[in-house]
Amino acid sequence: MSKVCVLDTNKQPLNPIHSGRARMLLSQGKAAVFRRFPFTLILKEEVSSPDVKPLRIKIDPGAKTTGLALVNDKTGEVVWVAELQHRGFQIRLALTSRRQLRRFRRSRNTRYRKPRFLNRTRPKGWLPPSLNSRVANILTWVKRLSSLCQINAISQELVRFDTQQMENPEISGTGYQQGTLAGYEIREFLLEKWNRTCAYCGAKDTKLEIEHIQPRSKGGSNRVSNLCLACVPCNREKGNQDIKDFLKGKPDLLKRILGQAKRPLADTSAVNATRWNLYDNLRQTGLPVEVGTGGLTKYNRTIRGLDKTHYWDAACVGASTPERLITSGIKPLLISAKEHGTRQQCRTNKLGFPVRYCSRTKFHKGFQTGDIVKAVVTSGKKVGTYVGRVATRATGSFNISTKDGLVQGISHKYCKHIHKKDGYAYAY
């Protein structure tokens, strides 16, 4: 697994250590558990003049999942990796549902409230809540990791694709546009746009080639709107045929491909809307911020032979990536952003009418909804060990969300705290 963060008794960050050494410190009574996620120890004595090696936080922002990595630039060692799952789309759906309920209430012949317009102003840099949550999640973890490790720099994938070069491939004047990296920008864009499948037969997990929808020999260009992905058999079968002739017997497929070729990436718009806001916030930390493109990230990952994952993409962000990355034994921490609760005074049905009361007390029997607990049930129909996020009730009968599903009706007497609520759920 990833290395373990260590703090001295004054909560000053030290060098992360191997999990075996962490177990030895715990067994000898020289340290205690400070945090479970990410796993952190705190020593019981002060360390004078420690030789702490600085690390770099590397971020691969995404619309649904963001990759995080801690890398030692000098040794090339990847110390810690994680995947952060956002809940931006859930927030968007919740806001849409609330808006529909309010509009429906105004149209009923009951209590009437006039719609309010132009009564709110948006400050500079304002983002919708669904997008702002993505930025806030990343900043939360940058701040959290900075308090657990000695961080001296940040790397962020600022632009997913170099659209200027893709729209005008003949542009010249800079080295990167004519170098090895040029093809990686276009390939990465096409892989995302066509879902890593053949546009003609839908084949997956096979070698895919860049295909000109309108052949170059018949006036087609190198613009990205004229490119798609095709497996080797389909590419050879099509040759230099016009796509309308090649798919004359499949009008539905022809219509889909021509529509997809001009369609932008939906998730990319969310990333593009937040990238500069995230960059400005990262600069306010006072640390130097390095930026890179998605094509550079893929190039770094490919020549180092790493798999396509969000956390390995994060480790390969930017030109500062060491020539050799030490990745042995690394296991990612899977982080999911969760809600912090609700201020609703009652629950409503699909029409917006109240159906049941909401308790205004957060804590029940010493627990609150969102805590990660371990329940060892020794009697009854649900004998076993359960670990997960807990949903509390005033009766003391809790529900626990485990990786195998929801377990209902667990008494608080069997529950023990593992990690206090912080707005996230964790898994390895």
Side-chain angles (χ1 to χ4, degrees), residues 161 189 192-193 259-269 272:
F161 310 108
F189 181 86
E192 293 288 338
K193 186 174 184 178
Q260 177 73 7
K262 296 182 180 180
R263 186 186 309 164
L265 283 170
D267 291 346
T268 304
S269 61
N272 289 341

Side-chain angles (χ1 to χ4, degrees), residues 189 193-194 213 224-228 255-264:
F189 181 86
K193 186 174 184 178
W194 296 92
I213 298 175
V224 71
S225 57
N226 190 47
L227 299 178
C228 69
K255 182 179 179 180
R256 183 183 66 81
I257 291 178
L258 293 179
Q260 177 73 7
K262 296 182 180 180
R263 186 186 309 164

